Amino acid sequence: MDEREIRRLIRNLAIELVLYGILVVAYFVVVLELLSEPLTRLFHNDLTLYAFAGLGLIVAQGVLLDAATSFLLDRLGLGRLE
Amino acid sequence: MEFPVAGVTVNPFLLAGIGFLVGVLGGFFGVGGGFIAGPLMFWTGVPMHFVVGTDLAHMTGKSIVAARRHRALGHVDFKLGLVMVVGTILGIEGGAQIIEALKVLGAVDVAIGLAYTLILLAISLFTAWESLRALRMIRKDRLAVQEALGFEGIARRVHSIALPPRLSFPASGIVSVSVWAVLGVGFLTGLLSGALGVGGGFVRMPMLVYLLGVPTHIAVGTDLFEVVISAGFGTLTHAIKGNVDIIMALVMQTGAALGAQIGATSTRFFAGPRIRLFFSALPLVGAVMVLARLLSAGMFH
């Protein structure tokens, strides 16, 4: 890999970090703020339901984030490095 | 940001940053990264029992993605994974019960912190020793021969254990092995997983290779399959016991997803035992962080 390609790789990586950072901030503000209260209530009232809901959220977010990061990496040409 | 379930206030970007760092290291070194995430979370002030449960929850989501990719490559021995998972689940429950007993005694932070420190030190020393040995072997141009002779011997002795019932695992090239050996590997790593909140991959993967004689690439894929099940079960059992802050795990996962992709991509530019030598410093950093936190909180008085 020559110097120009490395510079392009670093630039694209920086763009991805900025785009992803914006998405994450929006996610913190909208989704997690909304989820916080009902999940806390569930934690205090029904731990079993809280456990299954939590596992479901973790699995769903894992699949969604994988799709989002793969899409971003691919659009910026970073996915082709794998 | 306040995390009312764990009862702490932590900057969410710091948590996402920890997830990102662990994701990069996990993607780069091929480990779950719980042994680094745990000390870092403890360092930010999260109580140890929430560190254990929440780390398992964040690891579950991260490992699902990696295991799916390995399955597509044909690197997962499902039969071996499913037999081993019985031992793993028993071990996780045993580990979670240990946490509960320590909570009652009020010694959970000190006991788990010290166990964490000792295991991290052991991993660091073993990895440094193994990578230095490998580097010496490469210089002498006889690494492959030495590894084959040394580890085949151990696996052969494990395969010769005569305790019935015995099973074959063709996908891993194992003709016949006692079920108890497979369950034993699962139980030990499950115990670590349940008590320390780690996936156990950094112990299970070498055990699969050195003790059971599983080829390395199959061991990595099967290990990730195990981590999904063990960390998923660990999340459930710890959440039911009130040890998981799901919001905190979701925040960490945002950073981990990106970090894992970047870490995996970076492996293309680095390779070999020198990476394992760099890696050996990481558990040492984790051990120092846990000890520093225990000392600063005055937990030895």
Side-chain angles (χ1 to χ4, degrees):
Chain A
M1 184 178 273
D2 63 30
E3 204 178 304
R4 219 182 63 192
E5 276 183 289
I6 292 174
R7 237 180 298 155
R8 195 176 69 89
L9 174 74
I10 293 169
R11 188 202 66 189
N12 286 355
L13 201 59
I15 295 170
E16 156 140 17
L17 282 174
V18 171
L19 286 176
Y20 193 74
I22 294 166
L23 287 174
V24 164
V25 171
Y27 178 74
F28 285 169
V29 172
V30 180
V31 182
L32 295 185
E33 284 296 329
L34 285 175
L35 275 176
S36 185
E37 206 189 305
L39 276 175
T40 307
R41 216 176 311 123
L42 205 55
F43 176 80
H44 292 297
N45 296 334
D46 190 342
L47 270 176
T48 307
L49 192 59
Y50 171 80
F52 282 98
L55 191 62
L57 281 169
I58 284 285
V59 171
Q61 183 174 290
V63 174
L64 277 174
L65 284 178
D66 181 49
T69 51
S70 296
F71 175 76
L72 279 175
L73 286 168
D74 200 43
R75 294 294 291 183
L76 295 168
L78 298 170
R80 283 193 290 275
L81 292 171
E82 287 178 24
Chain B
M1 180 174 172
E2 197 196 348
F3 293 92
V5 169
V8 289
T9 302
V10 186
N11 186 332
F13 294 102
L14 184 62
L15 287 173
I18 291 173
F20 178 77
L21 177 70
V22 172
V24 171
L25 296 175
F28 190 70
F29 293 112
V31 292
F35 62 97
I36 291 294
L40 283 170
M41 286 171 75
F42 188 49
W43 174 72
T44 63
V46 180
M48 192 47 109
H49 60 285
F50 272 108
V51 167
V52 171
T54 307
D55 195 18
L56 279 169
H58 131 264
M59 209 180 297
T60 305
K62 204 174 65 181
S63 304
I64 283 171
V65 178
R68 277 175 63 196
R69 286 184 183 175
H70 277 275
R71 190 189 65 172
L73 294 167
H75 290 173
V76 182
D77 185 337
F78 286 103
K79 187 179 172 187
L80 178 63
L82 287 172
V83 173
M84 198 163 53
V85 85
V86 177
T88 307
I89 287 173
L90 289 173
I92 290 170
E93 192 51 41
Q97 292 299 337
I98 289 172
I99 293 269
E100 288 307 293
L102 289 169
K103 266 162 77 176
V104 172
L105 292 171
V108 67
D109 281 357
V110 173
I112 297 299
L114 283 177
Y116 231 135
T117 306
L118 288 176
I119 290 168
L120 290 172
L121 282 174
I123 295 166
S124 180
L125 290 174
F126 175 79
T127 318
W129 169 78
E130 188 273 331
S131 54
L132 285 171
R133 175 178 165 273
L135 283 169
R136 270 200 303 274
M137 293 296 175
I138 284 172
R139 272 199 292 275
K140 292 177 182 172
D141 200 24
R142 58 194 176 93
L143 176 67
V145 176
Q146 285 292 332
E147 276 193 340
L149 288 176
F151 302 134
E152 258 182 22
I154 298 169
R156 231 189 344 256
R157 273 199 289 277
V158 172
H159 289 183
S160 69
I161 294 170
L163 274 174
R166 295 177 69 83
L167 280 177
S168 70
F169 298 98
S172 296
I174 299 172
V175 178
S176 177
V177 68
S178 170
V179 166
W180 300 104
V182 179
L183 290 175
V185 169
F187 183 79
L188 275 177
T189 51
L191 205 61
L192 276 177
S193 186
L196 302 182
V198 293
F202 61 90
V203 176
R204 184 165 42 235
M205 211 280 278
M207 281 174 116
L208 283 170
V209 175
Y210 302 146
L211 298 184
L212 297 181
V214 177
T216 306
H217 58 287
I218 303 279
V220 171
T222 308
D223 176 48
L224 278 165
F225 172 65
E226 275 285 303
V227 171
V228 172
I229 297 175
S230 59
F233 179 79
T235 302
L236 273 182
T237 186
H238 272 291
I240 287 168
K241 292 175 179 73
N243 296 334
V244 178
D245 189 322
I246 288 297
I247 294 288
M248 200 179 279
L250 291 170
V251 168
M252 287 178 73
Q253 207 185 4
T254 57
L258 181 65
Q261 298 253 17
I262 291 172
T265 305
S266 306
T267 54
R268 195 174 172 273
F269 305 105
F270 308 89
R274 209 167 286 278
I275 290 175
R276 297 205 293 277
L277 190 60
F278 296 148
F279 167 80
S280 68
L282 295 178
L284 208 58
V285 173
V288 170
M289 288 178 75
V290 174
L291 266 184
R293 171 82 184 146
L294 287 173
L295 287 169
S296 67
M299 286 174 187
F300 289 122
H301 299 297

